[in-house]
Amino acid sequence: MKGFEGTIQHLGLSLAAVCEQAAIASADWIGHGRKNEADGAATEAMRTWLNRMPMRGTVVIGEGELDEAPMLYIGETLGTGFGPRVDIAVDPLEGTALVADGLDNSLSVIALAPEGCLLHAPDTYMEKLAVGPAAVGQIDITAPLLTNLERTAKALGKDMREMTVSIQNRPRHREAIETVRRAGAKVALFQEGDVSCLIATAVPGAVPDLFYSIGGAPEGVVSAAAIRCLGGDMQGRLKPENAEQERRCLLMGVRPDQPLGLSDFVRSNDCLFAATGITDSLLLSGVRRTAAGQWAVHTMLGIGQGQQVYFLKSQKAGLKSPSPNFARA
Ligand code: VTB
């Protein structure tokens, strides 16, 4: 943790506000079949509002590399230039296809930690396993899924038939799905958006007891910050698909297949996590227009130090998001 000055907890509420603005900006695009426009609106709003925060931030997980010239590229510096030095991981629109198709489970998400404390994850797949606070220390990504399921059930004091495992509905997970069902437990399949499903394992009252899936590595780091704030547990392993991706893993200092724990993803308790629902999900309600013409938004804010987690319902005027331009369709 080099060059870190001051604490970051006081940035919590403004971080939540950044997510809210990104979610509101993309909400006009729900159901219009235009992934890029929805993503662009969320990204632009997130960047504008992050730049107003009193911090010296660097994007370590973003929308791409500098040479691809996206907004919120890896290495971009953000904030007013005064305040703590922080690493920023963003996913302005988690579930672009969901928003384009008007489906549930999309979020706007950010994680923040002191400089040098967030894993620089390459844009490859990652195998992920997560549980809530009652099963901390019970998961092992190198062990068979069945072992993880049995140990989690024991820690939760649940019968196998009461256990639910959240898994993304993909052919690559066929064996995992069969393993869980053969063991007598339930599988809650989801189509897209592993961040909300993974985090839900650590939220009291939410359905999944265990999360297992191979999904995006950047999403894994963002999710880990939330799990850290919630006091749950998570492990992962990068799953590069070719030699070029393997090279990128090594460049970022992570051996492919090296088991990663919560403190590898987020190397400090002093982290922040914020997510605002765009469409409804297990975690949060989506953005709504109120009768008074305001925006009603639902945001989760996690403050790692002290493991404080808030679910905030706010009403705001919001940025005027650009109306969908159907002429360009
Ligand atoms: C994963 C997951 C994301 O997209 O990246 C997934 O982490 C992509 O999976 O949450 P496929 O390559 O199998 O489509 C999301 O579900 C949504 O961005």
Side-chain angles (χ1 to χ4, degrees), residues 94-95 125 128 168 170 172 191-195 215-216 219:
E94 154 67 356
Y125 278 127
K128 312 172 201 180
Q168 190 170 18
R170 290 291 188 275
R172 62 179 177 271
Q191 218 34 57
E192 299 275 346
D194 69 7
V195 174
E219 287 89 342

